[in-house]
């Protein structure tokens, strides 16, 4: 086998990566099929915003199925959010999740703990007790409405050297909306969610981060106003980072269909918002690409735009989607995408990379078939689309955690 034919992406931020990967390739007979220059090796992707639904909602997803889906997508580290039952708001409740992770996860799964008790926004959770066992604190799925509660949480997180990671949403501005308050909503009689419901809370939290000195990360930004707020905060030297999802960079509300598979929170926004997000990716305002992988049952996603649960799956399509729709057309450089998938999230969240990598065939074209997903979730707006880029194998901790079944195909 001529393993030298495998190209290895090795940015300067990941010194030693090529060396560790080559050692792993040499020592693994199981990877001996990859002897063509058509393959590329990437460092293990890192998603700091997923939902694995366990404990409490295992009919939607489990730690095992979620981590397998992540491995299928080239991820070797993920951070699941705390909207679980029980909510990880105490050492005891967090341990329930950690015990499942230790038993069932096939990659590095680093859970969040909640900011408030029960994610209800009324009382701050046991941040001190949970700090050593969680990646950061978040009430994702709920914006913390009370300014005083958020400020106190930031003060305490700062003392613990932990980050506050926020889903930004002002409840008083939602007015029962469930898609973006734009032309599609007006034309089809839907209740809309205004952009201010997001950016107003981003604005508040940035000011609190400046006041407290707490490291702050904004979840899944979707509006042009949020992009500009983060851009200015960085110029002002505030310790702020943010993420967006592949779907917000590729679709806008003009692409919507009367189908719950197009419903997520925040919603797909206006074309001008998508263009602002792309500009934020290109100038470094947006640090991370996160899927917000949010599986639901087929029944929960079959009630149309109005009645379906919010959330789509994304771990198994993320790289192929952005590679096809953004990189190949020359909209975003490949290095920028890989920095958002590998370097930036690992640096910001202090998640190490050892000999964790995935092998890709970037010339392979596949039609997205949700029935082939390893996730229990099926709802994706990419269903039926032909995408370039296929993950052939993923290695975590020197061990193959996912590998495509080999056929008689000659490489």
């Amino acid at each position: 086998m001529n393993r030298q034919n495998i190209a290895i992406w090795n940015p300067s931020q990941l010194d030693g990566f090529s060396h560790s990967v080559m050692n792993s390739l040499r020592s693994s007979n199981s990877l001996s099929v990859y002897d063509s220059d058509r393959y590329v090796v990437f460092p293990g992707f890192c998603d700091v915003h997923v939902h694995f639904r366990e404990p409490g909602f295992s009919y939607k997803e489990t730690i095992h199925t979620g981590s397998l889906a992540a491995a299928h997508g080239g991820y070797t580290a993920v951070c699941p959010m705390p909207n679980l039952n029980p909510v990880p708001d105490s050492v005891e409740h967090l341990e329930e999740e950690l015990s499942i992770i230790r038993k069932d996860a096939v990659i590095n799964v680093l859970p969040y703990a909640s900011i408030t008790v029960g994610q209800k926004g009324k009382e701050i959770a046991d941040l001190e007790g949970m700090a050593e066992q969680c990646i950061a604190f978040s009430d994702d799925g709920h914006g913390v409405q009370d300014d005083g509660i958020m400020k106190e949480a930031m003060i305490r997180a700062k003392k613990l050297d932990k980050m506050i990671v926020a889903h930004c949403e002002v409840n008083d501005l939602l007015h029962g909306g469930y898609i973006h308050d734009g032309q599609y909503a007006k034309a089809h009689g839907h209740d809309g969610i205004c952009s201010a419901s997001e950016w107003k809370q981003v604005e508040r939290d940035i000011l609190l981060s400046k006041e407290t000195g707490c490291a702050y990360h904004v979840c899944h930004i979707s509006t042009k106003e949020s992009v500009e707020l983060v851009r200015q905060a960085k110029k002002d030297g505030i310790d702020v980072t943010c993420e967006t999802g592949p779907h917000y960079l590729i679709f806008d509300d003009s692409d919507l269909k009367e189908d719950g598979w197009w419903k997520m929170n925040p919603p797909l926004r206006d074309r001008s918002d998508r263009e602002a997000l792309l500009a934020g990716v290109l100038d470094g305002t947006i640090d991370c690409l996160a899927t917000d992988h949010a599986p639901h049952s087929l029944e929960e996603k079959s009630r149309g735009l109005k009645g379906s649960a919010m959330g789509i799956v994304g771990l198994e399509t993320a790289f192929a989607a952005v590679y096809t729709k953004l990189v190949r057309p020359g909209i975003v450089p490949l290095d920028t995408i890989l920095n958002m998938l590998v370097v930036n999230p690992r640096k910001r969240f202090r998640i190490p990379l050892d000999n964790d990598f995935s092998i890709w065939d970037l010339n392979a074209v596949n039609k997205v078939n949700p029935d082939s997903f390893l996730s229990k979730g099926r709802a994706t707006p990419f269903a039926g689309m032909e995408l370039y880029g296929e993950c052939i194998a993923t290695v975590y901790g020197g061990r193959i955690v996912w590998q495509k079944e080999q056929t008689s195909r000659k490489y």
Side-chain angles (χ1 to χ4, degrees):
M1 172 182 175
N2 181 13
R3 290 186 175 90
Q4 300 301 323
N5 285 340
I6 301 178
I8 299 178
W9 183 77
N10 182 31
S12 60
Q13 299 95 322
L14 295 172
D15 291 339
F17 171 70
S18 291
H19 179 72
S20 65
V21 168
M22 289 308 298
N23 284 341
S24 186
L25 286 170
R26 290 189 188 100
S27 64
S28 178
N29 293 330
S30 299
L31 290 174
S32 61
V33 296
Y34 306 115
D35 57 359
S36 167
D37 58 7
R38 75 183 297 164
Y39 297 110
V40 62
V41 173
F42 294 137
F45 300 157
C46 177
D47 191 338
V48 298
H49 190 147
V50 302
H51 300 265
F52 282 175
R53 308 301 193 194
E54 193 177 28
F57 308 96
S58 58
Y59 71 94
K60 300 174 188 275
E61 191 78 288
T62 66
I63 298 295
H64 184 65
T65 60
S67 61
L68 276 175
H72 185 203
Y75 291 87
T76 60
V78 293
C79 304
M81 288 295 180
N83 46 347
L84 304 168
N85 185 19
V87 171
D89 55 8
S90 66
V91 174
E92 178 184 9
H93 290 165
L94 179 59
E95 177 56 31
E96 290 193 39
E97 182 182 3
L98 287 168
S99 65
I100 301 171
I101 290 170
R102 288 191 288 266
K103 178 169 61 77
D104 292 341
V106 303
I107 61 170
N108 196 9
V109 177
L110 303 158
Y112 286 90
S114 65
I115 297 172
T116 66
V117 175
Q119 293 187 292
K120 295 180 179 179
K122 303 297 184 184
E123 178 185 354
I124 297 177
D126 180 13
L127 308 189
E128 290 75 13
M130 298 184 291
E132 290 188 6
Q133 297 297 319
C134 68
I135 193 68
F137 301 114
S138 180
D139 266 9
D140 183 62
H142 309 273
V144 176
Q145 303 301 303
D146 187 283
D147 297 1
I149 290 286
M150 188 54 125
K151 180 178 178 180
E152 178 62 24
M154 285 191 176
I155 290 170
R156 289 167 59 177
K158 168 69 173 175
K159 291 179 180 178
L160 294 165
D161 193 27
K162 284 289 181 178
M163 189 155 45
I164 291 289
V165 177
H167 171 116
C168 290
E169 191 169 53
V170 180
N171 291 348
D172 288 345
L173 297 178
L174 296 178
H175 306 303
Y178 45 88
I179 64 171
H180 176 59
D181 187 18
Q183 292 302 313
Y184 187 94
K186 294 178 175 63
H188 295 81
H190 291 294
D191 294 327
I193 301 174
C194 68
S195 295
S197 65
E198 174 183 295
W199 68 259
K200 283 285 190 182
Q201 201 162 92
V202 174
E203 182 179 51
R204 178 204 70 178
D205 287 353
I206 286 173
L207 291 174
L208 291 176
S209 175
K210 179 180 180 180
E211 182 179 353
T212 63
C214 179
Y216 174 64
H217 180 84
V218 193
C219 293
H220 46 45
I221 66 170
S222 67
T223 72
K224 53 183 174 287
E225 293 90 351
S226 296
V227 175
E228 184 53 38
L229 284 164
V230 174
R231 180 180 288 121
Q232 187 58 52
K234 289 186 171 188
K235 290 179 181 177
D236 293 341
I238 303 171
D239 192 1
V240 174
T241 53
C242 68
E243 69 192 42
T244 196
H247 41 292
Y248 301 118
L249 298 174
I250 295 169
F251 302 117
D252 56 57
D253 70 340
S254 69
D255 296 303
L256 285 171
K257 296 177 175 58
E258 293 295 307
D259 185 337
W261 288 27
W262 289 81
K263 185 178 182 182
M264 70 287 293
N265 189 25
L268 297 174
R269 302 286 188 181
D270 186 78
R271 180 172 298 175
S272 63
D273 294 298
R274 178 169 61 84
E275 291 171 350
L277 290 168
L278 285 168
V281 166
L282 292 172
D283 71 11
T285 298
I286 301 175
D287 306 88
C288 304
L289 194 66
T291 64
D292 192 10
H293 176 85
H296 296 285
S297 70
L298 284 173
E299 193 279 329
E300 289 169 323
K301 293 297 289 182
S302 65
R303 306 169 190 162
L305 281 177
K306 183 174 183 179
S308 292
M310 287 179 165
I312 59 172
V313 294
L315 285 167
E316 295 172 86
T317 58
F319 178 79
V322 295
Y323 181 71
T324 302
K325 300 297 184 180
L326 302 179
V327 175
R328 284 178 62 89
I331 298 169
V332 180
L334 178 58
D335 275 2
T336 298
I337 294 297
L338 291 171
N339 280 325
M340 296 176 72
L341 285 169
V342 180
V343 179
N344 298 345
R346 288 182 182 276
K347 181 178 179 181
R348 179 61 163 166
F349 285 76
R350 304 172 186 171
I351 300 172
L353 177 73
D354 192 7
N355 57 339
D356 305 340
F357 60 92
S358 56
I359 301 173
W360 289 78
D361 181 350
L362 297 183
N363 294 313
V365 183
N366 291 297
K367 183 177 288 188
V368 177
N369 175 12
D371 289 336
S372 70
F373 288 170
L374 300 184
S375 169
K376 288 187 176 186
R378 297 290 181 267
T380 170
F382 295 103
M385 294 187 181
E386 290 192 341
L387 301 179
Y388 282 86
E390 181 179 29
C391 185
I392 304 299
T394 300
V395 172
Y396 167 65
R399 183 172 62 90
I400 301 167
V401 291
W402 183 84
Q403 185 172 17
K404 180 184 176 183
E405 287 187 20
Q406 300 305 310
T407 67
S408 60
R409 175 183 175 184
K410 294 182 179 180
Y411 296 97

